[in-house]
Amino acid sequence: MKEKEYGIKEVKVFHHGNGTSVVIRPDLPEEEYQRRHKELERAAANILKCVERNRQQGIST
């Protein structure tokens, strides 16, 4: 599925000792923002479940 192109809302540049990170925040409609936010929450929950499962099985990461 091809994503729609959105304008740029904000650009932040972070300088580190060994490089530079550029974060570009798109200007999203509210419903697209909510959809992406829910997807991010599901992904975070899956990571936490995996970490907890590995901890219970004695597997270190």
Side-chain angles (χ1 to χ4, degrees), residues 3 13 19 36 54 56-58:
E3 292 214 14
V13 179
R36 291 183 183 195
N54 288 345
Q56 289 174 355
Q57 294 175 354

Side-chain angles (χ1 to χ4, degrees), residues 34-48:
Q34 291 298 327
R35 184 188 70 77
R36 291 183 183 195
H37 192 75
K38 284 183 182 180
E39 186 176 329
L40 178 62
E41 286 178 341
R42 280 193 298 267
N46 287 339
I47 289 171
L48 291 174

